[in-house]
Amino acid sequence: MSDAPSTAAPSAPPAVVVDGLVIRYGDLTAVDGVTFSAEAGQVTAVLGPNGAGKTSTIEALEGYRRPAGGTVRVLGLDPIADHDELVPAIGVMLQSGGVYPGIRPLEALQLFAAYYDDPLEPAALLRRVGLADRQDTAWRRLSGGEQQRLSLALAVIGRPRVVFLDEPTAGLDVDGRRLVHELVRELATDGVAVLLATHDLAEAEALADHVVIVDHGRVVADGPLAEVLTGTAEEIRFSAATGLDAAALGHRLGAAVAEAAPGEYLVDHAPDPGTIAMLTAWLAEQGASLGDLRAGRQRLEDVFVRLTADAAPPAQSGHDGARRSRRASRARSRRT
Amino acid sequence: MSALVAQTVAELRLNLRNGEQLLLTLGIPVLLLTFFSQVEVLPLPDGVDEPIDFLAPGVLALAVLSTAFTGLAIATGFDRQYGVLKRLGATPLGRPRLLAAKTATVVAIELAQLAVLVPVALLLGWEPSISPLPVLGAVVLATVAFAGVAMLMAGTLPGLVVLAAANGIYVVLLLFGDLVIPLEELPGALRAIAELLPTAAFAEILRAGFGDGEASGRAWLVLGGWAVAAPAVAARTFRWE
């Protein structure tokens, strides 16, 4: 679907780089030191429960949110400072809306085609997303699924090199979902970097080459999906006073230690009892008190529980409706 | 097709497809012009004998108001509410071309209104002696002033609030803007307020430009002030999402 080369050179820099990203809304910190990268020719899923900071992260890459800290780069460019240079090369699908309520699908595609130098052919793209028979229907009269498919078509019409999709299959039926999955796989095969925000574990499993799992504004796991699911990478996170000598601690533990955010430390070592004993002993020597201690794996499982709780039927029978039950099961899983 | 042309065509097409918009921009002005020139129930200012001589410039001013203020505010308010402006922000269209397309759309609709309303007024017996420069200057200033207030509302309020407020203000200005009811009929305090609004100033300059009386310096000052202040405030407060 794009003229971009089908294989990126091994030495090519990542299409998307997020480094220590922080986004705040007033007092609320929505994204708290997120770091990951996404490669051309791959589907990267940013996976997490609702409110984890996925949309804020994607919107920083699209240039809608100004980071309070850290940096983001898309194709080596700053999405805000280099906005004019970057926009011809990206495609965006918002979580909802983004299209004139009165416009018809073919008109919308023709309009967007006029923004780009070498667009896809609007009528062919309309057929490809299965909306050829809806070309005379105003956007506001399309079904939710049809709106999603048109939004996806508008995101790719300019032959982008990077595509951002925010919950692209929310509200789609089985056929619509399959169509979107096909299109997304095609984009990646054509060498496009696809960044997908989703709260749907099954969608990430079906589509992603690489998943970045976020929770409460932080990355809890990052890697190829299979690796994340089987959990080979393990780590210890703890909070303590800021400015501890991470190098000295690393020397003691025989593992890399980094202060990921002020007062938040990351130890690249499995959380076995011996290592944890050494860690607490070292902290005692420094006179530093331990805030909270987490093994990465446990938090990941906590996230998975909540992700799958979203997809599963209501855990409790009752008259409150699914939404309430889901919230309840999420709250339960948080306590465990 | 260039992005600017495509954007302007799309904006125009969406406008024309909207029935309420057509009613507002053409239906109501033609109705007011025809009805009140034939049914002489409205008071006339001193020195004006024929209702059409007072009504025609007033209704032309109303037409500019309906397009540059009411129509623009409602359309832009909903564009913003539906995330259209946000989405366009991530395309190569860019704000300057979006604003240029919206301006071109407003101008095109105003020309269409002129093309309908002037012949209708002439048929109804209007005999203007036109001073083109003041008329053109007043239409440009009024368009900028109204559009500035429209963007101020559309850029800060939810779509439905914009819809209600823009229609409400349209009706208020229709009554208190010296458009179909002479300003001198209003009670003193109300009249003093109305004289500070851009509609009365605009109508005064238009009437003078069409050979009815003289425009005061105050009218130019009021209209010019709105044309500078409204876009400036709108540019500072406009939120794209």
Side-chain angles (χ1 to χ4, degrees), chain A residues 59 64-65 83 87 92 97-104 107 111-112 114-116 154-155, chain B residues 1 3 6-7 10-11 13-14 17 79 82-84 86-93 241:
Chain A
E59 291 198 339
Y64 293 127
R65 301 275 164 265
H83 176 266
V87 281
V92 167
V99 182
Y100 290 101
I103 205 166
R104 295 166 186 167
E107 290 168 0
L111 175 63
F112 271 58
Y115 300 156
Y116 299 92
L154 292 170
Chain B
M1 193 161 36
Q7 186 68 28
E11 298 259 353
R13 184 185 279 153
L14 292 170
R17 200 172 280 164
D79 287 357
Y82 283 101
V84 176
K86 177 179 181 178
R87 177 68 184 84
L88 293 180
T91 71
L93 178 67
E241 34 174 313

Side-chain angles (χ1 to χ4, degrees), chain A residues 176-191:
Chain A
R177 196 171 285 248
R178 188 185 312 132
L179 180 74
V180 169
H181 286 185
E182 272 174 33
L183 284 165
V184 167
R185 289 304 331 169
E186 267 175 41
L187 286 169
T189 306
D190 286 347

